[in-house]
Amino acid sequence: MSQDFIKPINVAEELSNSFLEYSMSVIISRALPDVRDGLKPSQRRVLYAMRQLGVTPGKAHVKCAKIVGETMGNYHPHGDSSIYSTLVNMGQPWSMREMLVDGQGNFGSVEGDAAASMRYTEARLHHLGMAMMEDLDKDTVDFQPNYDGSQEEPSVLPSAFPNFLVNGGTGIAVGMATNLAPHNLGEVIDGICAQIDNSEITLEELMQHIKGPDFPVSCEIRGIRGIEEYFRTGRGSMRLRGKVEIEENENGKSIIVIREVPYGVNRAVLQERIAELVNEKTLTGISGMRDLSDEETRIEIELKRDARPQVVVNQLFKLTTLETSFSVNMLAIHKNRPKQLSLKEAIDAYIEHRREVVLRRTRYLLGKAEERAELLEAYLLALGHLDDFIKIIRDSKNRDEARERLAAYEFSTATAEGLGILIRSQAAVKGDRYVFSERQVNAILELRLYQLTGLERDKVKGEYDAVLLDIKDLLDILAREERVLNIIKDELRLIKDKHATPRKCPILAEAGEIPMEDLIANDAMIVTLSHRGYIKRTPANEYRLQGRGGKGLKGMETRSTGKDEPDDFVEHMFSVQAHDYLLFFTNTGRMYVERVYELPEGSRTAMGRSIKNVLNLKPDEKIAALLRLERTVDEDGNDVTFREDAGFVFFATRTGKVKKTALNDFRNYRKDGIIAINLEEDNELIGVRLTSGSDEIILVTHEGLSLRFHEDDTRSMGRNSMGVMGIRPREEDYVVGLALVTEGATLLVASDNGLGKRTSFEEYRKQSRGGKGIITMKVTEKTGPVVGAVTVTEQDQLMLMTSTGQNIRIRVDGIRETGRNAQGVKLLTLKEGETLQDISIFIPDGEDAGAETEDGEAQEGAAADAPEAPAE
């Protein structure tokens, strides 16, 4: 070789330049997605190859090997395994928030199992995958030569939905990486529309629409600060938690049920880790584990009898991938270079892309409409001078002569306008004469004989008028930016209506981030707790008002034990607000505090979730009484619910003992609970009330006796005390009700058989604490024993719950006032074997329209009032 062809170079410089070219190639053409369509080149080429094969929704699936071969041979000259893995990933519901490929066969599993070989699996485009390429044949995007120049491929897809934000993705380039979180399709579309309406929208306003990420699996997202951070800067992190519930098996043992693992966590690896921790004696409360998962996750972890479920759950979160972190880095290709994008910048890039798509599509359609209008003009002119045109064609020697003579034929512009032709092109006019173009001449020569009929002439004129309207509309779109943006919004909302799904991942703020009260409306709620410890909160508007004597609506779905024990039933019911506190007092005398909005929400007929999912109860500990505590704030918005002058908590037990403790003593409550009262082994709480320090108390017993006394008779005691005697029940009698004497109110007493009455407090003379009491309700076989007593006014409403889970909401003013020893009137209609279980004051959220029964008709006086019993 001649020395002239050898040039000395600097090796370091050559390596630097070569590596830079390689790096840019990896960054631009392989690893990072384009912000406009959210796809890497490999994904884009697979989708385009499937479109070219005609593997569209509604058609039969084809072998994945055929798709891979088409992609590799025409567009992506790389290994078939990498192309197939790209195809499989777009068809996995646990990997993609909205799938682009509809797969058939073994596409792998969430446990990390690989997909079957491409010769066994089949695929076709999903509806959203097809939406990515909508209007691709209307010059909406640029095309580029493929790797060998034999064909062309799109440089970007039109992307009818914001795939970049909806599906996210990961990629590792040279010196940089991207990790995009998926989001909810409906939320993202709402956010894009809001940003179109207001280009200066703030991040806080945008987050009213786009709450945060929404992963393909239903895990919990913890931490709002991280979401705000990556929305603002493009980088941030949050914690993901699996969904865990606590249940009881038939033997009474607690079971931790893992219903969902965090996004990206392998279920099999998680179970292996839990088994290791148990073998290492790190997790000591677990006695067994089994995987009952099918399409849905269900991993059951059985606990030892002395284990505390909430403690074990917290250990699982801390020591395993049941809680993990997810870091977001919104790095993408923007204007042919990598850029880290904020949420607003990503949305702006998509809006600009769709704006360009709409404008290019409109220009394409306008060109097609102009071409069609030109041909229709020729048809109309030819049909208007049919005899002349037939003579010219008949007298011509050949086609070329006919073409020349037709091209030379001229009309006046007035003649054209007289035929209803709107002359749009100046090229068709010479002075005051209208001349044919070459395309028009060819169209006239190709007219068929049937098109010369009158009906066909009317049809041509109708089509011509319609095309002119289309041209006018398309020109208006090109002239007005507002029209373009409205089209973008309308097309996105159409996608949302067809394909949007509810959010899968709830977003929970961490302690100290944002006050939950600022995120949750203070709506009226009904809280129910069953005998076996299933709790839920339900919006109060699900319980409509009914008339006294009605049959009621179906309430909580209670669980059958399947044993000799009675079935589960609702034991406590409270009407509360979402921001209120609930104080839970257990049979062992401990107290737990929980906010209403933190309780599990369920429908009116839902069974609810075990209280062990909410409170860190000790083994064999059960809820004995509840107290609703309304949240109060000072002028600065600080929570002062447990302030020193907030009053007292007054306790009443089954054996008749009472105790009064300052509410301020409970301010330092803990998740593990605190001591509230000391109880004897054969005693239990039956009621707890909040008092002012100067209230009067009424205790009511099962056999219909009552005792009224002033709370000054009971001195304030510490939390770790047993209390003093309030009423001395007779043998086999016990206390069932605790009520406060209120001016202008009455005492409502209800019995086991559904009878109830109101009695003025004036009929209850004040007595000394510790007596046996006087009659409050005449207990007979017809009435049954007393089940509860509450203080009511005529403006109140009452919620009644039966042993079978039925409930009825009635007005108190529909229950007439009677004497102490009367039997009362029927409050509701009970079925055979059914009894009244609990009564509660209902606080309505707004004005009720009127009393209605289950079938919507008023039902007043459905049962006759029971006669009063004679006084003793």
Side-chain angles (χ1 to χ4, degrees), residues 110-305:
V110 72
E111 279 86 2
D113 298 323
S117 176
M118 69 179 80
R119 64 180 180 272
Y120 298 121
T121 57
E122 298 177 337
R124 64 183 176 189
L125 283 169
H126 196 278
H127 290 285
L128 284 174
M130 197 65 191
M132 292 292 295
M133 295 174 284
E134 190 174 334
D135 299 324
L136 189 60
D137 55 354
K138 295 179 181 177
D139 193 32
T140 51
V141 296
D142 292 331
F143 277 72
Q144 61 191 18
N146 66 341
Y147 67 92
D148 63 357
S150 62
Q151 298 188 44
E152 287 193 327
E153 61 177 327
S155 60
V156 68
L157 298 184
S159 188
F161 77 98
N163 180 65
F164 177 77
L165 289 171
V166 170
N167 275 323
T170 60
I172 301 175
V174 179
M176 59 183 66
T178 184
N179 195 33
L180 307 171
H183 299 80
N184 184 272
L185 174 62
E187 290 182 4
V188 172
I189 288 176
D190 288 341
I192 291 173
C193 293
Q195 190 157 323
I196 290 175
D197 293 334
N198 176 18
S199 60
E200 301 300 322
I201 189 171
T202 65
L203 180 61
E204 290 72 21
E205 292 170 336
L206 197 56
M207 288 186 69
Q208 296 297 317
H209 303 283
I210 307 176
K211 311 295 183 183
D214 191 25
F215 296 95
V217 296
S218 302
C219 56
E220 292 181 354
I221 300 172
R222 299 263 174 165
I224 294 177
R225 283 203 188 101
I227 296 173
E228 290 180 343
E229 188 67 22
Y230 89 77
F231 276 3
R232 181 174 289 106
T233 66
R235 294 179 70 94
S237 65
M238 69 221 75
R239 291 190 298 139
L240 307 182
R241 270 191 180 182
K243 283 192 174 181
V244 177
E245 294 181 2
I246 300 171
E247 299 178 358
E248 286 187 4
N249 62 13
E250 296 179 354
N251 298 324
K253 286 186 178 181
S254 294
I255 296 176
I256 296 174
V257 181
I258 301 175
R259 294 194 175 275
E260 199 67 71
V261 298
Y263 175 69
V265 171
N266 188 313
R267 288 193 310 218
V269 174
L270 172 63
Q271 292 176 74
E272 290 175 4
R273 176 58 179 163
I274 294 173
E276 287 177 6
L277 293 171
V278 172
N279 293 333
E280 293 169 0
K281 307 297 183 184
T282 304
L283 291 176
T284 58
I286 296 177
S287 61
M289 178 174 61
R290 56 180 178 172
D291 188 359
L292 302 179
S293 304
D294 42 30
E295 292 182 358
E296 296 182 356
T297 300
R298 185 179 175 88
I299 302 172
E300 292 187 354
I301 300 174
E302 188 173 330
L303 304 183
K304 298 176 181 177
R305 288 196 177 274

Side-chain angles (χ1 to χ4, degrees), residues 727-772:
I727 186 174
R728 297 183 187 276
R730 298 172 184 175
E731 190 175 350
E732 296 184 359
D733 194 8
Y734 53 89
V735 178
V736 296
L738 166 64
L740 299 183
V741 178
T742 306
E743 186 177 353
T746 55
L747 182 68
L748 188 144
V749 183
S751 70
D752 193 66
N753 290 338
L755 273 67
K757 69 183 182 69
R758 292 190 296 125
T759 304
S760 171
F761 284 115
E762 294 178 359
E763 296 204 19
Y764 296 90
R765 68 179 184 272
K766 192 188 304 184
Q767 297 178 275
S768 298
R769 177 181 57 79
K772 293 186 177 180

